[in-house]
Amino acid sequence: MTDSPAGGTTPPTPSSTTDALSSGGKKPGGESIVTVLVALAANTLIAVAKTVAAMITGSASMVAEAAHSWADTGNEIFLLIAERRSEKPRDDRHPFGYGREAYVWAMVAAFGLFTAGSILSISHGIGQLGAAEEETNYTVAYVVLAIAFVLEGTSFIQAVRQTRSQARHYGLRPLHFVLSTSETTLRAVFFEDLAALLGILLAAGGIAAHEVTGDAIYDAIGSILVGVLLGVVAILLIVRNGQFLVGQAARPALRRQALDLLLRHPDVDRVTFLHLEWVGPSKLLVVAAVDLSADDRESVLAVRLEALEDRVDDHDLVERCILTLSAPGEADVVA
């Protein structure tokens, strides 16, 4: 039962996916932290370089890119906080753990991208639409953008590597996986780095059009387009984090695997209710009603039920398991 397990080198067969459920999975938190740290280092260097270039060139597109990179740098810090705080063990005040804190901090990061990146870039570009035409140091702009593209590409490669590794385990396409995974930091870094690479191309296009035509309006348009791109990515991340905060059920395939695992247990005859919900990155709340084999007295059934809960709780990706006995006449869960 895994949302983001380490992948193999070949797509799994259906049986191997089911086996992964029964054998347990490893939380990919360490790999996610590496991905965030790579992005943080790259964005910090890029933000400084773009800021210097923006001051030298006065380019609206370069100003937008500098704002973009500083927003990304701040976001990576929020994502690191998200990773750390979400790993705190559950206690009496938080019986389902602190996993949802990851979505809170990732939401803060997404709002930061929207305000400090998107709105600033769009407003600055609009302000430059009617500005007087100015020549700029095109060479400095192109060199900085080229260096930024290489650094952003390095960070994006790490995010893609992690995404492909985990998506391969399920036979899913990487884009489908990164949109649906509970690993919010991976999704944030993936789309922020993708937006950064596209933003660099948009900025370079605006600066090139300015150089060719001598009209600074193209530079301003480049800034606006970068802002629109950031806004789209920020809204995507805000919506997905909001869905996990409200309560995101596990995928049907994962639910079927959990059902199969329970039914394979020698003490379980039937399952009449089953609910799996993400309460954090790679952290599931499992609630089920089961019919235990044999007609033991109530005290014995309670002990057996608690032992079954403990066994499910031992799974790496289960934050909490709550089991109850099925009522007579309840229909079986079939999928």
Side-chain angles (χ1 to χ4, degrees), residues 55-121:
M55 291 188 294
I56 294 174
T57 64
S59 165
S61 294
M62 190 61 71
V63 171
E65 278 297 295
H68 178 187
S69 293
W70 281 118
D72 281 352
T73 301
N75 289 351
E76 309 312 334
I77 295 175
F78 285 128
L79 294 178
L80 285 175
I81 295 174
E83 281 288 322
R84 293 300 186 186
R85 293 187 66 86
S86 67
E87 290 300 319
K88 293 170 60 178
R90 67 178 186 246
D91 52 34
D92 291 340
R93 296 184 61 186
H94 296 84
F96 301 144
Y98 291 79
R100 284 197 172 105
E101 279 212 46
Y103 306 119
V104 173
W105 288 100
M107 180 83 79
V108 172
F111 274 115
L113 182 65
F114 186 78
T115 55
S118 178
I119 294 178
L120 192 152
S121 298

Short mmCIF file of all heavy atoms in Angstrom, two decimals, residues 55-121:
data_model
loop_
_atom_site.label_atom_id
_atom_site.label_comp_id
_atom_site.label_asym_id
_atom_site.label_seq_id
_atom_site.Cartn_x
_atom_site.Cartn_y
_atom_site.Cartn_z
N MET A 55 19.16 44.90 -12.60
CA MET A 55 19.64 46.25 -12.29
C MET A 55 20.51 46.78 -13.42
O MET A 55 20.50 47.99 -13.73
CB MET A 55 20.42 46.23 -10.97
CG MET A 55 19.54 45.98 -9.76
SD MET A 55 20.42 46.19 -8.18
CE MET A 55 21.61 44.84 -8.27
N ILE A 56 21.29 45.91 -14.06
CA ILE A 56 22.18 46.35 -15.15
C ILE A 56 21.40 46.66 -16.41
O ILE A 56 21.64 47.68 -17.08
CB ILE A 56 23.25 45.28 -15.43
CG1 ILE A 56 24.19 45.14 -14.22
CG2 ILE A 56 24.03 45.60 -16.69
CD1 ILE A 56 25.19 44.00 -14.35
N THR A 57 20.44 45.78 -16.74
CA THR A 57 19.76 45.89 -18.02
C THR A 57 18.49 46.74 -17.96
O THR A 57 18.09 47.33 -18.96
CB THR A 57 19.37 44.49 -18.54
OG1 THR A 57 18.42 43.90 -17.64
CG2 THR A 57 20.59 43.59 -18.65
N GLY A 58 17.84 46.77 -16.81
CA GLY A 58 16.55 47.47 -16.73
C GLY A 58 15.45 46.76 -17.46
O GLY A 58 14.36 47.31 -17.68
N SER A 59 15.66 45.51 -17.83
CA SER A 59 14.68 44.74 -18.60
C SER A 59 13.49 44.36 -17.73
O SER A 59 13.65 43.82 -16.63
CB SER A 59 15.34 43.47 -19.16
OG SER A 59 14.37 42.55 -19.60
N ALA A 60 12.27 44.60 -18.24
CA ALA A 60 11.06 44.23 -17.51
C ALA A 60 10.97 42.72 -17.36
O ALA A 60 10.56 42.21 -16.31
CB ALA A 60 9.83 44.77 -18.24
N SER A 61 11.33 41.99 -18.41
CA SER A 61 11.30 40.54 -18.34
C SER A 61 12.28 40.01 -17.31
O SER A 61 12.00 39.04 -16.59
CB SER A 61 11.62 39.93 -19.71
OG SER A 61 10.62 40.23 -20.65
N MET A 62 13.45 40.67 -17.21
CA MET A 62 14.45 40.22 -16.24
C MET A 62 13.99 40.54 -14.81
O MET A 62 14.24 39.76 -13.88
CB MET A 62 15.79 40.89 -16.52
CG MET A 62 16.94 40.30 -15.70
SD MET A 62 17.20 38.53 -16.03
CE MET A 62 17.89 38.59 -17.70
N VAL A 63 13.30 41.66 -14.62
CA VAL A 63 12.73 41.97 -13.31
C VAL A 63 11.71 40.91 -12.92
O VAL A 63 11.68 40.44 -11.77
CB VAL A 63 12.07 43.37 -13.32
CG1 VAL A 63 11.28 43.60 -12.03
CG2 VAL A 63 13.12 44.46 -13.49
N ALA A 64 10.88 40.51 -13.88
CA ALA A 64 9.89 39.47 -13.61
C ALA A 64 10.56 38.16 -13.24
O ALA A 64 10.12 37.45 -12.31
CB ALA A 64 8.99 39.27 -14.83
N GLU A 65 11.63 37.83 -13.95
CA GLU A 65 12.34 36.59 -13.66
C GLU A 65 13.02 36.63 -12.30
O GLU A 65 13.08 35.64 -11.58
CB GLU A 65 13.36 36.31 -14.77
CG GLU A 65 12.78 35.66 -16.00
CD GLU A 65 12.21 34.29 -15.67
OE1 GLU A 65 12.98 33.39 -15.30
OE2 GLU A 65 10.98 34.13 -15.75
N ALA A 66 13.55 37.79 -11.92
CA ALA A 66 14.17 37.93 -10.60
C ALA A 66 13.12 37.73 -9.51
O ALA A 66 13.36 37.03 -8.51
CB ALA A 66 14.83 39.31 -10.47
N ALA A 67 11.95 38.37 -9.68
CA ALA A 67 10.87 38.19 -8.71
C ALA A 67 10.45 36.73 -8.63
O ALA A 67 10.19 36.19 -7.54
CB ALA A 67 9.68 39.07 -9.10
N HIS A 68 10.39 36.08 -9.80
CA HIS A 68 10.03 34.66 -9.86
C HIS A 68 11.00 33.82 -9.05
O HIS A 68 10.61 32.98 -8.23
CB HIS A 68 10.02 34.23 -11.33
CG HIS A 68 9.72 32.78 -11.54
ND1 HIS A 68 9.81 32.19 -12.78
CD2 HIS A 68 9.35 31.79 -10.68
CE1 HIS A 68 9.49 30.91 -12.67
NE2 HIS A 68 9.22 30.64 -11.40
N SER A 69 12.30 34.06 -9.23
CA SER A 69 13.31 33.25 -8.56
C SER A 69 13.34 33.50 -7.05
O SER A 69 13.54 32.57 -6.27
CB SER A 69 14.69 33.51 -9.17
OG SER A 69 14.73 33.03 -10.50
N TRP A 70 13.14 34.76 -6.65
CA TRP A 70 13.09 35.03 -5.21
C TRP A 70 11.86 34.38 -4.58
O TRP A 70 11.92 33.87 -3.45
CB TRP A 70 13.10 36.53 -4.94
CG TRP A 70 14.46 37.16 -5.06
CD1 TRP A 70 14.85 38.12 -5.95
CD2 TRP A 70 15.61 36.86 -4.26
NE1 TRP A 70 16.18 38.44 -5.76
CE2 TRP A 70 16.68 37.68 -4.73
CE3 TRP A 70 15.86 35.98 -3.22
CZ2 TRP A 70 17.95 37.64 -4.19
CZ3 TRP A 70 17.13 35.93 -2.66
CH2 TRP A 70 18.16 36.75 -3.13
N ALA A 71 10.75 34.38 -5.30
CA ALA A 71 9.54 33.71 -4.80
C ALA A 71 9.79 32.21 -4.66
O ALA A 71 9.41 31.59 -3.66
CB ALA A 71 8.36 33.97 -5.75
N ASP A 72 10.44 31.62 -5.66
CA ASP A 72 10.76 30.19 -5.60
C ASP A 72 11.69 29.88 -4.44
O ASP A 72 11.55 28.86 -3.76
CB ASP A 72 11.40 29.73 -6.91
CG ASP A 72 10.37 29.50 -8.01
OD1 ASP A 72 9.17 29.54 -7.69
OD2 ASP A 72 10.78 29.28 -9.16
N THR A 73 12.67 30.77 -4.21
CA THR A 73 13.62 30.55 -3.10
C THR A 73 12.88 30.54 -1.76
O THR A 73 13.12 29.66 -0.91
CB THR A 73 14.69 31.65 -3.10
OG1 THR A 73 15.40 31.63 -4.35
CG2 THR A 73 15.69 31.43 -1.97
N GLY A 74 12.00 31.51 -1.57
CA GLY A 74 11.22 31.53 -0.34
C GLY A 74 10.33 30.31 -0.22
O GLY A 74 10.15 29.75 0.87
N ASN A 75 9.78 29.87 -1.35
CA ASN A 75 8.90 28.71 -1.34
C ASN A 75 9.63 27.45 -0.90
O ASN A 75 9.06 26.60 -0.19
CB ASN A 75 8.30 28.49 -2.73
CG ASN A 75 7.26 29.55 -3.08
OD1 ASN A 75 6.87 30.34 -2.21
ND2 ASN A 75 6.84 29.58 -4.32
N GLU A 76 10.88 27.30 -1.34
CA GLU A 76 11.63 26.09 -0.95
C GLU A 76 11.82 26.05 0.57
O GLU A 76 11.81 24.96 1.17
CB GLU A 76 13.00 26.04 -1.64
CG GLU A 76 13.00 26.25 -3.15
CD GLU A 76 11.98 25.41 -3.88
OE1 GLU A 76 11.60 24.34 -3.39
OE2 GLU A 76 11.54 25.83 -4.97
N ILE A 77 12.00 27.20 1.19
CA ILE A 77 12.13 27.24 2.66
C ILE A 77 10.83 26.76 3.31
O ILE A 77 10.83 25.97 4.25
CB ILE A 77 12.49 28.65 3.13
CG1 ILE A 77 13.88 29.04 2.60
CG2 ILE A 77 12.45 28.74 4.65
CD1 ILE A 77 14.29 30.46 2.89
N PHE A 78 9.70 27.24 2.78
CA PHE A 78 8.40 26.78 3.30
C PHE A 78 8.23 25.28 3.09
O PHE A 78 7.67 24.58 3.95
CB PHE A 78 7.26 27.53 2.61
CG PHE A 78 7.09 28.95 3.07
CD1 PHE A 78 7.04 29.98 2.16
CD2 PHE A 78 6.98 29.25 4.42
CE1 PHE A 78 6.88 31.29 2.58
CE2 PHE A 78 6.82 30.55 4.86
CZ PHE A 78 6.78 31.58 3.94
N LEU A 79 8.71 24.77 1.96
CA LEU A 79 8.57 23.33 1.68
C LEU A 79 9.44 22.50 2.62
O LEU A 79 9.06 21.39 3.01
CB LEU A 79 8.91 23.05 0.22
CG LEU A 79 7.96 23.65 -0.82
CD1 LEU A 79 8.43 23.34 -2.23
CD2 LEU A 79 6.53 23.13 -0.62
N LEU A 80 10.62 23.02 2.96
CA LEU A 80 11.46 22.32 3.95
C LEU A 80 10.76 22.27 5.31
O LEU A 80 10.79 21.24 6.00
CB LEU A 80 12.81 23.01 4.07
CG LEU A 80 13.80 22.78 2.93
CD1 LEU A 80 15.05 23.64 3.13
CD2 LEU A 80 14.19 21.31 2.82
N ILE A 81 10.12 23.40 5.69
CA ILE A 81 9.35 23.41 6.94
C ILE A 81 8.22 22.38 6.85
O ILE A 81 7.95 21.65 7.82
CB ILE A 81 8.79 24.81 7.20
CG1 ILE A 81 9.93 25.80 7.44
CG2 ILE A 81 7.84 24.80 8.40
CD1 ILE A 81 9.47 27.24 7.56
N ALA A 82 7.57 22.32 5.69
CA ALA A 82 6.48 21.36 5.49
C ALA A 82 6.96 19.93 5.70
O ALA A 82 6.30 19.13 6.37
CB ALA A 82 5.89 21.53 4.09
N GLU A 83 8.12 19.60 5.13
CA GLU A 83 8.65 18.24 5.26
C GLU A 83 8.95 17.91 6.72
O GLU A 83 8.61 16.82 7.20
CB GLU A 83 9.92 18.10 4.42
CG GLU A 83 9.68 17.92 2.93
CD GLU A 83 9.14 16.54 2.61
OE1 GLU A 83 9.58 15.55 3.24
OE2 GLU A 83 8.26 16.45 1.74
N ARG A 84 9.58 18.83 7.43
CA ARG A 84 9.99 18.58 8.80
C ARG A 84 8.79 18.47 9.75
O ARG A 84 8.69 17.53 10.54
CB ARG A 84 10.94 19.69 9.28
CG ARG A 84 12.28 19.72 8.56
CD ARG A 84 13.03 18.41 8.75
NE ARG A 84 14.38 18.47 8.20
CZ ARG A 84 15.20 17.44 8.13
NH1 ARG A 84 14.80 16.26 8.60
NH2 ARG A 84 16.40 17.57 7.60
N ARG A 85 7.88 19.42 9.67
CA ARG A 85 6.77 19.46 10.62
C ARG A 85 5.78 18.32 10.38
O ARG A 85 5.15 17.83 11.32
CB ARG A 85 6.07 20.82 10.56
CG ARG A 85 6.93 21.97 11.06
CD ARG A 85 6.15 23.26 11.15
NE ARG A 85 5.10 23.19 12.16
CZ ARG A 85 5.27 23.44 13.44
NH1 ARG A 85 6.47 23.77 13.90
NH2 ARG A 85 4.26 23.37 14.28
N SER A 86 5.64 17.90 9.15
CA SER A 86 4.68 16.83 8.85
C SER A 86 5.14 15.48 9.36
O SER A 86 4.34 14.54 9.46
CB SER A 86 4.42 16.75 7.34
OG SER A 86 5.58 16.33 6.65
N GLU A 87 6.43 15.34 9.70
CA GLU A 87 6.97 14.07 10.17
C GLU A 87 6.88 13.90 11.69
O GLU A 87 7.29 12.87 12.21
CB GLU A 87 8.43 13.93 9.73
CG GLU A 87 8.61 13.71 8.23
CD GLU A 87 7.91 12.45 7.75
OE1 GLU A 87 7.98 11.43 8.48
OE2 GLU A 87 7.28 12.49 6.69
N LYS A 88 6.35 14.89 12.40
CA LYS A 88 6.21 14.77 13.85
C LYS A 88 5.27 13.61 14.17
O LYS A 88 4.23 13.45 13.52
CB LYS A 88 5.68 16.07 14.44
CG LYS A 88 6.63 17.24 14.35
CD LYS A 88 5.95 18.54 14.74
CE LYS A 88 5.42 18.51 16.15
NZ LYS A 88 4.79 19.81 16.53
N PRO A 89 5.60 12.80 15.17
CA PRO A 89 4.73 11.65 15.51
C PRO A 89 3.41 12.12 16.11
O PRO A 89 3.32 13.19 16.71
CB PRO A 89 5.56 10.88 16.54
CG PRO A 89 6.47 11.89 17.14
CD PRO A 89 6.78 12.86 16.05
N ARG A 90 2.38 11.32 15.92
CA ARG A 90 1.06 11.67 16.45
C ARG A 90 1.08 11.67 17.97
O ARG A 90 1.87 10.97 18.60
CB ARG A 90 0.00 10.71 15.91
CG ARG A 90 0.10 9.28 16.39
CD ARG A 90 -1.05 8.47 15.81
NE ARG A 90 -1.09 7.12 16.35
CZ ARG A 90 -0.89 6.02 15.65
NH1 ARG A 90 -0.59 6.12 14.36
NH2 ARG A 90 -0.96 4.83 16.21
N ASP A 91 0.18 12.46 18.55
CA ASP A 91 0.06 12.54 20.00
C ASP A 91 -1.41 12.66 20.36
O ASP A 91 -2.30 12.54 19.50
CB ASP A 91 0.88 13.71 20.56
CG ASP A 91 0.56 15.03 19.87
OD1 ASP A 91 -0.61 15.23 19.49
OD2 ASP A 91 1.47 15.87 19.70
N ASP A 92 -1.70 12.93 21.64
CA ASP A 92 -3.09 12.99 22.09
C ASP A 92 -3.85 14.14 21.45
O ASP A 92 -5.06 14.03 21.21
CB ASP A 92 -3.14 13.13 23.62
CG ASP A 92 -2.66 11.87 24.33
OD1 ASP A 92 -2.67 10.80 23.68
OD2 ASP A 92 -2.25 11.97 25.51
N ARG A 93 -3.17 15.24 21.17
CA ARG A 93 -3.84 16.39 20.57
C ARG A 93 -4.03 16.22 19.07
O ARG A 93 -4.91 16.86 18.48
CB ARG A 93 -3.04 17.68 20.84
CG ARG A 93 -2.94 18.05 22.31
CD ARG A 93 -2.22 19.37 22.49
NE ARG A 93 -2.93 20.46 21.83
CZ ARG A 93 -2.45 21.70 21.73
NH1 ARG A 93 -1.26 21.99 22.22
NH2 ARG A 93 -3.16 22.64 21.12
N HIS A 94 -3.21 15.39 18.46
CA HIS A 94 -3.30 15.14 17.01
C HIS A 94 -3.24 13.63 16.79
O HIS A 94 -2.19 13.08 16.43
CB HIS A 94 -2.17 15.84 16.27
CG HIS A 94 -2.21 17.34 16.36
ND1 HIS A 94 -1.68 18.02 17.44
CD2 HIS A 94 -2.75 18.28 15.54
CE1 HIS A 94 -1.87 19.32 17.25
NE2 HIS A 94 -2.52 19.50 16.12
N PRO A 95 -4.36 12.94 17.01
CA PRO A 95 -4.37 11.47 16.94
C PRO A 95 -4.09 10.92 15.55
O PRO A 95 -3.75 9.74 15.43
CB PRO A 95 -5.79 11.11 17.41
CG PRO A 95 -6.60 12.34 17.16
CD PRO A 95 -5.68 13.48 17.40
N PHE A 96 -4.24 11.73 14.51
CA PHE A 96 -3.94 11.29 13.16
C PHE A 96 -2.62 11.88 12.66
O PHE A 96 -2.34 11.88 11.45
CB PHE A 96 -5.06 11.67 12.19
CG PHE A 96 -6.39 11.07 12.57
CD1 PHE A 96 -7.56 11.77 12.36
CD2 PHE A 96 -6.46 9.81 13.13
CE1 PHE A 96 -8.79 11.22 12.72
CE2 PHE A 96 -7.68 9.24 13.48
CZ PHE A 96 -8.85 9.96 13.29
N GLY A 97 -1.81 12.39 13.57
CA GLY A 97 -0.50 12.90 13.20
C GLY A 97 -0.53 14.34 12.71
O GLY A 97 -1.56 15.00 12.70
N TYR A 98 0.64 14.79 12.29
CA TYR A 98 0.82 16.17 11.84
C TYR A 98 1.02 16.27 10.33
O TYR A 98 1.47 17.28 9.81
CB TYR A 98 2.03 16.79 12.54
CG TYR A 98 1.83 17.03 14.02
CD1 TYR A 98 1.94 16.00 14.94
CD2 TYR A 98 1.53 18.31 14.50
CE1 TYR A 98 1.74 16.22 16.29
CE2 TYR A 98 1.35 18.55 15.85
CZ TYR A 98 1.45 17.49 16.75
OH TYR A 98 1.25 17.72 18.08
N GLY A 99 0.68 15.20 9.61
CA GLY A 99 0.97 15.15 8.19
C GLY A 99 0.34 16.27 7.38
O GLY A 99 0.94 16.77 6.42
N ARG A 100 -0.86 16.70 7.77
CA ARG A 100 -1.53 17.74 6.99
C ARG A 100 -0.84 19.10 7.09
O ARG A 100 -1.14 20.00 6.31
CB ARG A 100 -2.99 17.86 7.42
CG ARG A 100 -3.88 16.73 6.88
CD ARG A 100 -5.36 17.11 6.97
NE ARG A 100 -6.19 16.13 6.29
CZ ARG A 100 -6.95 15.22 6.90
NH1 ARG A 100 -6.94 15.16 8.23
NH2 ARG A 100 -7.69 14.38 6.21
N GLU A 101 0.08 19.25 8.03
CA GLU A 101 0.86 20.50 8.08
C GLU A 101 1.63 20.70 6.78
O GLU A 101 1.92 21.84 6.39
CB GLU A 101 1.82 20.48 9.27
CG GLU A 101 1.18 20.86 10.59
CD GLU A 101 2.15 21.57 11.52
OE1 GLU A 101 2.87 22.48 11.06
OE2 GLU A 101 2.20 21.20 12.71
N ALA A 102 2.00 19.60 6.13
CA ALA A 102 2.71 19.72 4.86
C ALA A 102 1.88 20.49 3.85
O ALA A 102 2.40 21.33 3.10
CB ALA A 102 3.05 18.34 4.31
N TYR A 103 0.58 20.24 3.83
CA TYR A 103 -0.29 20.93 2.87
C TYR A 103 -0.54 22.37 3.28
O TYR A 103 -0.73 23.24 2.41
CB TYR A 103 -1.62 20.16 2.74
CG TYR A 103 -1.42 18.71 2.40
CD1 TYR A 103 -1.86 17.69 3.24
CD2 TYR A 103 -0.73 18.36 1.24
CE1 TYR A 103 -1.65 16.36 2.93
CE2 TYR A 103 -0.51 17.02 0.93
CZ TYR A 103 -0.97 16.03 1.77
OH TYR A 103 -0.74 14.71 1.47
N VAL A 104 -0.52 22.65 4.59
CA VAL A 104 -0.67 24.03 5.05
C VAL A 104 0.52 24.87 4.58
O VAL A 104 0.35 25.95 3.98
CB VAL A 104 -0.78 24.09 6.58
CG1 VAL A 104 -0.76 25.54 7.06
CG2 VAL A 104 -2.05 23.38 7.05
N TRP A 105 1.73 24.38 4.84
CA TRP A 105 2.92 25.14 4.45
C TRP A 105 3.09 25.19 2.94
O TRP A 105 3.57 26.19 2.39
CB TRP A 105 4.16 24.56 5.13
CG TRP A 105 4.19 24.85 6.58
CD1 TRP A 105 3.84 24.01 7.61
CD2 TRP A 105 4.56 26.09 7.20
NE1 TRP A 105 3.97 24.64 8.82
CE2 TRP A 105 4.41 25.91 8.60
CE3 TRP A 105 5.00 27.30 6.72
CZ2 TRP A 105 4.70 26.92 9.51
CZ3 TRP A 105 5.30 28.31 7.63
CH2 TRP A 105 5.14 28.12 9.00
N ALA A 106 2.72 24.11 2.25
CA ALA A 106 2.78 24.13 0.79
C ALA A 106 1.77 25.12 0.22
O ALA A 106 2.02 25.76 -0.81
CB ALA A 106 2.51 22.73 0.23
N MET A 107 0.62 25.29 0.91
CA MET A 107 -0.36 26.28 0.50
C MET A 107 0.21 27.70 0.67
O MET A 107 0.03 28.56 -0.20
CB MET A 107 -1.63 26.12 1.33
CG MET A 107 -2.73 27.10 0.98
SD MET A 107 -3.71 26.57 -0.43
CE MET A 107 -4.78 25.37 0.36
N VAL A 108 0.89 27.93 1.79
CA VAL A 108 1.54 29.23 2.01
C VAL A 108 2.54 29.52 0.90
O VAL A 108 2.61 30.63 0.37
CB VAL A 108 2.23 29.26 3.39
CG1 VAL A 108 3.06 30.54 3.54
CG2 VAL A 108 1.21 29.16 4.51
N ALA A 109 3.33 28.50 0.53
CA ALA A 109 4.31 28.66 -0.54
C ALA A 109 3.62 28.99 -1.87
O ALA A 109 4.10 29.84 -2.64
CB ALA A 109 5.14 27.39 -0.68
N ALA A 110 2.50 28.33 -2.14
CA ALA A 110 1.79 28.58 -3.40
C ALA A 110 1.23 30.00 -3.43
O ALA A 110 1.26 30.67 -4.48
CB ALA A 110 0.67 27.55 -3.57
N PHE A 111 0.70 30.49 -2.30
CA PHE A 111 0.23 31.88 -2.24
C PHE A 111 1.40 32.85 -2.44
O PHE A 111 1.24 33.90 -3.07
CB PHE A 111 -0.46 32.15 -0.90
CG PHE A 111 -1.91 31.78 -0.89
CD1 PHE A 111 -2.37 30.76 -0.07
CD2 PHE A 111 -2.82 32.44 -1.69
CE1 PHE A 111 -3.72 30.41 -0.05
CE2 PHE A 111 -4.17 32.11 -1.69
CZ PHE A 111 -4.62 31.08 -0.85
N GLY A 112 2.57 32.49 -1.91
CA GLY A 112 3.74 33.33 -2.11
C GLY A 112 4.12 33.42 -3.57
O GLY A 112 4.48 34.49 -4.07
N LEU A 113 4.04 32.29 -4.26
CA LEU A 113 4.33 32.28 -5.69
C LEU A 113 3.35 33.17 -6.45
O LEU A 113 3.72 33.88 -7.38
CB LEU A 113 4.27 30.85 -6.22
CG LEU A 113 4.59 30.64 -7.70
CD1 LEU A 113 6.04 30.99 -7.99
CD2 LEU A 113 4.30 29.20 -8.11
N PHE A 114 2.08 33.13 -6.01
CA PHE A 114 1.05 33.92 -6.69
C PHE A 114 1.25 35.41 -6.48
O PHE A 114 1.16 36.20 -7.42
CB PHE A 114 -0.33 33.49 -6.19
CG PHE A 114 -1.47 34.12 -6.93
CD1 PHE A 114 -1.85 33.65 -8.18
CD2 PHE A 114 -2.16 35.20 -6.39
CE1 PHE A 114 -2.90 34.24 -8.88
CE2 PHE A 114 -3.21 35.79 -7.08
CZ PHE A 114 -3.58 35.32 -8.32
N THR A 115 1.54 35.80 -5.23
CA THR A 115 1.65 37.23 -4.92
C THR A 115 3.01 37.81 -5.30
O THR A 115 3.09 38.79 -6.05
CB THR A 115 1.39 37.48 -3.43
OG1 THR A 115 2.27 36.66 -2.65
CG2 THR A 115 -0.04 37.14 -3.06
N ALA A 116 4.08 37.19 -4.79
CA ALA A 116 5.42 37.73 -5.03
C ALA A 116 5.91 37.45 -6.45
O ALA A 116 6.77 38.17 -6.95
CB ALA A 116 6.41 37.13 -4.03
N GLY A 117 5.37 36.42 -7.08
CA GLY A 117 5.81 36.10 -8.43
C GLY A 117 4.85 36.58 -9.49
O GLY A 117 5.17 37.44 -10.31
N SER A 118 3.63 36.06 -9.46
CA SER A 118 2.67 36.35 -10.53
C SER A 118 2.20 37.80 -10.54
O SER A 118 2.33 38.50 -11.55
CB SER A 118 1.47 35.40 -10.40
OG SER A 118 0.50 35.69 -11.38
N ILE A 119 1.65 38.25 -9.43
CA ILE A 119 1.08 39.61 -9.40
C ILE A 119 2.15 40.66 -9.64
O ILE A 119 1.94 41.63 -10.40
CB ILE A 119 0.36 39.85 -8.06
CG1 ILE A 119 -0.86 38.93 -7.94
CG2 ILE A 119 -0.06 41.31 -7.93
CD1 ILE A 119 -1.61 39.06 -6.65
N LEU A 120 3.32 40.50 -9.02
CA LEU A 120 4.39 41.48 -9.21
C LEU A 120 4.84 41.54 -10.67
O LEU A 120 5.03 42.62 -11.24
CB LEU A 120 5.57 41.15 -8.31
CG LEU A 120 6.66 42.22 -8.15
CD1 LEU A 120 7.35 42.09 -6.81
CD2 LEU A 120 7.69 42.13 -9.27
N SER A 121 5.00 40.38 -11.30
CA SER A 121 5.46 40.34 -12.69
C SER A 121 4.44 40.96 -13.63
O SER A 121 4.80 41.72 -14.55
CB SER A 121 5.74 38.89 -13.10
OG SER A 121 6.75 38.31 -12.30
#
